Amino acid sequence: MGSANNQGIGWWFLPKLTCYSLTLLLSAVLPSDAVGTTLKKQGLQIAQQPETTQQDAAHAVAKRVFQEGIQLEQQGTGESLRQAIAKYQEALKLWQQVDDKLSEASTLNNIGLVYGSLGEKPEALKYYNQALPILRAAGNRGQEAATLNNIGLVYGSLGEKEEALKYLNQALPIGRAVGDRKVEAVTLSYIGGIYNSLGDKEAALKYLNQALPIIRVVRDKGMEASILINIGRVYSDLGDKKAALKYLNQALPIGRAVGDKKIEARTLNDVGTLYSALGDKEAALKYLNQALPIIRAVGESRREATILHNIGGIYNSFGDKEAALKYYNQALPIRRAVGDTEGEIFTLSSMAALEHSRGNLQQAQTHIQSAIKIIEDLQAKIANEELRTAYVASVRPYYEFYTYLLMELQKN
């Protein structure tokens, strides 16, 4: 039997099943007075009506508190993100008092984004779903598409691929209809990510390669780096490590140039997993150990778990099973806490392979059974026959390992 390897590279018999996510679109959505001239004229009559002194004061305070939330969010640490949520919540109440619907929706979206950055996906979804009907009622199609993207991204991260595609396929024509090239590019990249996680690498590259030139035209460097990372991941999955490294090496300096620590950490993680796949474990560990403190500093628990898992994989490849288990056991509760079901599958499966390699067949069975239970729960949520077939094919190796393990247990 083979050994567990790094997430993003996979076992010798396992496809990559990691969550595929890009940088969130609405990192700092401004209140309604900064949305745009045409949007001011749609559904918002408050600005055209006399306001009381009290309303003026509340509006001014809301804008100030909202800006304070943006500043805290941009610091990017776990503590500052929590403080940003508190500021946004304060601003939200004030927008509701003055009945400023677009600013209310923008604030709801930003709260969702911060929760998403912290890895708290169900909480993020709650706020996006409050923002969406407000934006639709106001006729703000661009923000509606962006919110649909964010909802789709959350469902994708929770393993509900069909639900994710439902929202993303609503967002794409809206983004094109309103001529918002950035929303269009982000939607295309998210759709590519979903197809990648379903194992359809050809479709994934098709969408990502449509997104890349558009995002370069609109000059969003952070999003460009994210798309480059994800193209690199697809090539890695296809076994073309040189092509993968080429894209990742384009992404890393962009992430550093724009000061985006999350992109920098993601790229360092992916470069590390590639060096591991190429057999250079020392280089792999160097990159992963650079990534870990960066991702911890920005409080992104989901990716912290991924990096911990990957460091565990390196130690496993060195034959240091105890160190490997230490890192896997740090990664697993984080993945459960943030609802990263696919990451949980991967860590459980890697632990099963490790225990099998040590001859601990009962422990291996416990871990792989837990992984398969999650797989079957996710599979049950896919109604579309084509998507279901693709998913079943992508997870077949887990069942093959389980069958092999049962045969060994029976022999013993």
Side-chain angles (χ1 to χ4, degrees):
M1 293 291 292
S3 61
N5 208 330
N6 294 344
Q7 183 171 357
I9 301 302
W11 291 357
W12 61 275
F13 55 16
L14 285 184
K16 177 183 171 189
L17 290 172
T18 58
C19 232
Y20 202 95
S21 59
L22 302 178
T23 328
L24 293 167
L25 174 61
L26 302 174
S27 59
V29 182
L30 295 175
S32 58
D33 62 344
V35 171
T37 306
T38 56
L39 299 182
K40 285 183 184 177
K41 298 176 182 176
Q42 298 179 4
L44 288 181
Q45 302 303 320
I46 293 173
Q48 300 170 12
Q49 298 171 354
E51 292 187 350
T52 66
T53 304
Q54 186 176 5
Q55 284 177 312
D56 286 335
H59 205 277
V61 172
K63 289 169 69 174
R64 176 178 57 77
V65 173
F66 185 91
Q67 291 295 336
E68 289 171 359
I70 289 177
Q71 291 166 8
L72 286 163
E73 184 181 352
Q74 289 172 342
Q75 290 178 29
T77 67
E79 182 182 358
S80 73
L81 291 174
R82 296 286 178 192
Q83 292 171 345
I85 289 172
K87 287 292 182 182
Y88 286 143
Q89 293 281 13
E90 186 181 343
L92 183 63
K93 291 177 183 177
L94 292 166
W95 296 131
Q96 289 167 343
Q97 286 176 20
V98 298
D99 199 28
D100 187 336
K101 293 297 186 184
L102 277 182
S103 294
E104 180 184 347
S106 294
T107 306
L108 288 165
N109 245 319
N110 279 23
I111 294 171
L113 285 162
V114 178
Y115 275 119
S117 295
L118 291 167
E120 299 178 29
K121 305 299 181 177
E123 197 69 13
L125 197 59
K126 182 177 81 174
Y127 284 93
Y128 294 146
N129 282 325
Q130 291 178 59
L132 189 58
I134 297 173
L135 293 167
R136 283 174 168 164
N140 190 326
R141 300 277 283 165
Q143 292 285 347
E144 178 189 348
T147 305
L148 288 165
N149 271 339
N150 289 334
I151 294 172
L153 186 64
V154 171
Y155 277 117
S157 70
L158 294 172
E160 298 187 32
K161 309 301 181 183
E162 187 176 9
E163 194 71 6
L165 284 175
K166 182 181 83 173
Y167 282 94
L168 296 173
N169 284 326
Q170 290 178 58
L172 187 58
I174 296 173
R176 286 172 169 165
V178 300
D180 192 326
R181 301 306 307 279
K182 181 175 177 178
V183 168
E184 179 186 358
V186 170
T187 311
L188 288 165
S189 63
Y190 288 175
I191 293 172
I194 297 298
Y195 278 110
N196 183 62
S197 66
L198 287 167
D200 191 340
K201 307 301 177 183
E202 185 178 342
L205 281 177
K206 182 184 82 171
Y207 282 99
L208 290 166
N209 283 323
Q210 287 179 62
L212 186 58
I214 298 172
I215 211 67
R216 283 173 167 163
V217 167
V218 300
R219 298 184 179 180
D220 186 326
K221 302 301 286 185
M223 195 65 205
E224 179 186 349
S226 287
I227 294 170
L228 288 166
I229 290 169
N230 285 301
I231 293 174
R233 288 178 175 177
V234 177
Y235 277 114
S236 177
D237 291 347
L238 291 169
D240 192 342
K241 308 302 181 187
K242 289 184 179 179
L245 204 54
K246 181 185 80 172
Y247 282 97
L248 292 173
N249 282 331
Q250 291 177 59
L252 186 57
I254 294 173
R256 285 174 169 162
V258 300
D260 192 320
K261 293 297 185 181
K262 293 177 187 176
I263 289 176
E264 182 181 357
R266 286 179 62 203
T267 313
L268 288 166
N269 170 71
D270 287 5
V271 171
T273 58
L274 273 176
Y275 275 114
S276 177
L278 292 167
D280 191 341
K281 306 297 182 181
E282 295 291 347
L285 199 57
K286 181 186 78 172
Y287 280 99
L288 293 170
N289 281 326
Q290 289 179 57
L292 187 58
I294 296 172
I295 212 66
R296 280 177 167 162
V298 299
E300 194 169 9
S301 300
R302 187 186 193 89
R303 290 204 175 95
E304 178 188 349
T306 297
I307 295 166
L308 287 166
H309 175 107
N310 289 346
I311 294 173
I314 298 295
Y315 279 110
N316 191 33
S317 69
F318 287 150
D320 190 341
K321 307 296 182 181
E322 292 302 324
L325 270 180
K326 182 184 80 171
Y327 282 97
Y328 289 150
N329 280 320
Q330 289 179 62
L332 189 59
I334 297 174
R335 291 187 141 159
R336 286 172 171 161
V338 302
D340 183 0
T341 50
E342 292 188 343
E344 186 180 349
I345 291 166
F346 208 94
T347 299
L348 285 166
S349 303
S350 296
M351 292 170 77
L354 186 151
E355 295 294 2
H356 173 269
S357 71
R358 298 203 300 181
N360 299 329
L361 303 187
Q362 291 293 342
Q363 290 96 320
Q365 182 185 17
T366 299
H367 291 315
I368 197 63
Q369 282 178 333
S370 297
I372 287 174
K373 173 64 169 60
I374 300 168
I375 289 169
E376 290 176 346
D377 288 343
L378 293 174
Q379 183 181 319
K381 295 175 181 177
I382 304 175
N384 181 280
E385 190 62 34
E386 185 177 350
L387 293 177
R388 188 183 182 89
T389 299
Y391 184 70
V392 169
S394 72
V395 298
R396 186 178 296 119
Y398 293 105
Y399 288 92
E400 291 173 355
F401 173 61
Y402 184 42
T403 301
Y404 178 87
L405 184 60
L406 289 176
M407 290 170 63
E408 287 206 351
L409 283 163
Q410 189 173 15
K411 287 178 186 176
N412 290 339

